[in-house]
Amino acid sequence: MLSFSIAICVLGVSWKRSKKMFNKGYFFVIIMVGFFIIFGIALVKIHNPKNYSSHYSNQIDSKEQPYDIGIQFNIKERLKPSFHYNKYIVTTKFVDGKSAHGRILLQVARDSSQNILDIGNTYTTFTVLKRIPGALNPYQFDYAKHLHTQYISHRIIVSPHQVIDNHKIEYSLGYVANQIRKTSNLKLSKYNFSSTQLSIINALLMGQRQDISQDTFNNYRDAGAIHILAVSGLHVGIILLLLNLFLKPLDRYHKNGKIIKLILTILSLWCFAIIAGLSPSVLRAVTMFSFLAIGMQIRSKTSIYNSLFISLFILICFNPLLLFSIGFQLSYAAVFAIAWIQPLLAKIYHPKFYILKKLWETFTVTIAAQLGLLPLTLFYFHQFPLLFFISNLIILPFLGGILGLGILVILLAYLSILPQFIATIFGNCIDVMNIIIEWIANQEGFVIKNIPFSTCMCIILYLIIIISVMMFKKKEKRKPYWLGISLIMLFSVMIYEKYIVSNMEELIVFHNQRNTTLGILKNQQFRIYSKDSLTATTQHFLFGNYLTRNQATLDTVMQLKNIYQYKKQTIMVIDSTSIYHLKNFHPDIIILSGSPKIHLDRVLDSLHPKQIVADASNYKNYINQWEISCKKQEIPFHRTDKKGAFILK
């Protein structure tokens, strides 16, 4: 805070100095940049809950608790469930008998009852508080890193009977919003909506995507229409237009109509944001459109860039780690691209007919948004749907009507006065939209997948897009040179990365639960040896991203062998048969698989290996004993459940 105060003083002095000198104030610009860097560091420090003594991590031993402790918590948010667990973000109230606060991940084992814990309710459990493990295989999605951006570093895993309801409600905006959503869903369930229709209604109008099936989600993703399911600027903008249309009579028939209209509009937008769960994209959209609404009412030519950057600054002040949210990055990139690029594209063609004009506007908005999102989409998801413009051209013109009808359906259902025929019409609209999306997604030849794309390539591609747009906007002689240099840089990076991966050779022992899976990469061909068969889903989970990043293809999947010769090293797999006695055989590396019943000290004395590897197919108590044995004899021991996959270059 001292450095922050000093920075403010220096900034003030430099501003006054630059003003007196009547110059461009380069010194002031440099100081301002330094000020905002210090300001950002101060924000991160202030918002990090671990810097406060009341945080649970400062109340208990920093090491993992080996015993059950009492934890009282309040449900804050329900996440998308996995196959085995219902997931929640909770706020602690008491930990091990001490008052402690902080956010943790709660995983409740799924059972036949399918009971969902209510947001706002307080519960108590006795369990072990564990640190969330990072990715244990190369290039896998790091869930721990993702949650770290939300200040969550620990989790508790419980079964339903371990969760004790305290019958105590902590009232908050989140609790009220959840009750509205629950009541709305209860009312809607009386009107013969299918589970798929209800999940889409929840996503479109209430920002809750937890119940959308994986197949439906994949269809929207592959059709390039996933933004329709994520409540964002598109939805908020349509709602703002509907509110302005609905509240327009206030301008004429009331003395303070404009002020009342503005207040009602902003309140309505923020009520929608709260009901939608206050996700990063919703926060961005509602904050930005709130400023636009103010500009519209005071008849000010409010620059969309001003609204965009003011909303960005405000949101980062409240939560600086939003910058690392993928949804936040995509949301701002799309809106900035639409504001900057779409007007240029719209000038290319001027259709005379109204329908053609609207279709051309939709097309240019879609192209502009995709240009802004392209580098980030390739970097994070490594795929690109070529038919994105078709799904957007078909659905976006009608999305306003679908949202308007959806709001009407929810309001009438909430009041229990919804006619069945209106519910049927709305349900049919959703079915038609899903059918169109599914058909487009099934054109697999138009979805380019497994695109290798690095951070460096992402930055250079943005540079190319920016220079290209500037060339189109203002034709200058120097711009083509910069574009040429950027293209050369991109191709150079691509060639360099291709060279690196083409010469990469390594052996990997994957962390695969209840199975031993070994992979050998050579000449961009990946050969897998597995004890048990691997489903397509398991293959994608284990090494899908690995193949993409290394521009490799899966050669073959074979049965696991007991002896391997890799480079100059001999590798032996000791499995559940516990056979290892071979004359004059001394392997360099021993892989323990399937919890073999062996006395490891005798194995070490007999075979004299240089390295022991224990994967996830072994019992944990066996692994713990083997680790102690190796430590005694000073032999390196690698356990994949803690250190991740074993990689031999």
Side-chain angles (χ1 to χ4, degrees), residues 357-377:
K357 186 178 180 182
K358 290 300 174 185
L359 286 173
W360 176 245
E361 284 179 3
T362 304
F363 180 74
T364 54
V365 166
T366 303
I367 295 295
Q370 287 296 336
L371 282 172
L373 295 175
L374 180 61
L376 285 175
T377 303

Side-chain angles (χ1 to χ4, degrees), residues 456-518:
C456 210
M457 291 169 71
C458 180
I459 294 168
I460 295 171
L461 185 55
Y462 265 123
L463 187 63
I464 290 170
I465 291 169
I466 291 167
I467 292 171
S468 300
V469 174
M470 290 175 71
M471 278 180 59
F472 186 80
K473 195 172 184 179
K474 294 180 180 179
K475 294 179 181 179
E476 293 181 16
K477 292 181 180 179
R478 293 183 182 180
K479 297 278 169 60
Y481 295 113
W482 289 111
L483 180 61
I485 291 168
S486 301
L487 288 169
I488 291 169
M489 287 171 61
L490 180 63
F491 290 131
S492 299
V493 169
M494 290 172 69
I495 293 167
Y496 173 74
E497 291 183 357
K498 181 71 175 177
Y499 171 77
I500 293 295
V501 297
S502 64
N503 290 288
M504 184 176 286
E505 294 183 9
E506 59 187 16
L507 178 144
I508 302 176
V509 179
F510 288 96
H511 178 79
N512 188 11
Q513 292 291 342
R514 299 172 186 169
N515 192 6
T516 296
T517 305
L518 185 146

Side-chain angles (χ1 to χ4, degrees), residues 105 122 142 152 197 218 410 458 462 555 566 588:
L105 175 67
T122 304
D142 196 334
I152 300 169
Q197 290 171 346
N218 290 343
I410 290 176
C458 180
Y462 265 123
D555 183 16
Y566 183 75
D588 297 291

Side-chain angles (χ1 to χ4, degrees), residues 358-364 366 388-398:
K358 290 300 174 185
L359 286 173
W360 176 245
E361 284 179 3
T362 304
F363 180 74
T364 54
T366 303
F388 66 89
F389 60 92
I390 293 179
S391 56
N392 284 280
L393 278 174
I394 294 172
I395 292 171
L396 288 189
F398 303 100

Side-chain angles (χ1 to χ4, degrees), residues 512-535:
N512 188 11
Q513 292 291 342
R514 299 172 186 169
N515 192 6
T516 296
T517 305
L518 185 146
I520 297 175
L521 177 67
K522 187 176 182 180
N523 298 326
Q524 293 182 274
Q525 295 292 313
F526 198 51
R527 182 168 292 183
I528 289 292
Y529 298 89
S530 182
K531 184 176 70 173
D532 300 322
S533 61
L534 299 172
T535 63

Side-chain angles (χ1 to χ4, degrees), residues 48-65 69 92 94-96 98-104 129 131 151-154:
N48 190 349
K50 291 184 179 180
N51 292 329
Y52 297 93
S53 59
S54 60
H55 193 260
Y56 69 84
S57 62
N58 299 317
Q59 300 287 332
I60 58 174
D61 189 356
S62 59
K63 292 184 179 180
E64 214 170 83
Q65 299 293 318
I69 57 174
T92 60
F94 292 93
V95 176
D96 203 17
K98 301 172 185 175
S99 177
H101 302 283
R103 288 153 64 88
I104 59 176
L129 185 65
R131 185 168 288 277
Y151 302 106
I152 300 169
S153 56
H154 288 79

Side-chain angles (χ1 to χ4, degrees), residues 147-303:
L147 289 178
H148 181 70
T149 62
Q150 302 177 49
Y151 302 106
I152 300 169
S153 56
H154 288 79
R155 66 175 178 177
I156 51 176
I157 302 174
V158 296
S159 55
H161 71 269
Q162 288 180 281
V163 181
I164 304 166
D165 193 346
N166 296 138
H167 300 288
K168 183 181 177 183
I169 296 171
E170 188 173 287
Y171 292 96
S172 65
L173 290 175
Y175 168 77
V176 173
N178 183 61
Q179 292 302 308
I180 292 171
R181 290 194 296 266
K182 273 185 69 178
T183 306
S184 299
N185 277 294
L186 189 64
K187 299 278 188 178
L188 288 170
S189 63
K190 299 175 182 178
Y191 290 92
N192 300 322
F193 287 110
S194 67
S195 58
T196 302
Q197 290 171 346
L198 280 174
S199 67
I200 297 296
I201 292 170
N202 274 278
L204 277 176
L205 296 158
M206 292 184 270
Q208 306 301 302
R209 297 193 294 177
Q210 300 95 328
D211 299 322
I212 293 178
S213 68
Q214 194 60 46
D215 288 339
T216 303
F217 182 85
N218 290 343
N219 286 339
Y220 275 82
R221 181 197 64 198
D222 293 342
I226 194 66
H227 56 281
I228 292 172
L229 295 181
V231 174
S232 59
L234 176 66
H235 303 71
V236 176
I238 291 170
I239 289 169
L240 178 60
L241 291 174
L242 292 173
L243 284 170
N244 274 321
L245 187 66
F246 181 71
L247 299 174
K248 201 170 184 179
L250 286 173
D251 291 339
R252 299 177 183 176
Y253 302 114
H254 199 282
K255 184 180 178 181
N256 298 315
K258 289 183 179 179
I259 296 172
I260 295 170
K261 181 182 175 183
L262 177 63
I263 293 169
L264 288 174
T265 300
I266 293 175
L267 281 175
S268 299
L269 287 178
W270 279 100
C271 285
F272 175 73
I274 292 164
I275 292 171
L278 294 175
S279 66
S281 59
V282 175
L283 282 171
R284 188 272 309 158
V286 173
T287 307
M288 189 185 75
F289 279 108
S290 294
F291 286 108
L292 283 177
I294 293 169
M296 287 166 65
Q297 294 308 315
I298 63 175
R299 298 186 182 277
S300 168
K301 291 184 179 179
T302 307
S303 169

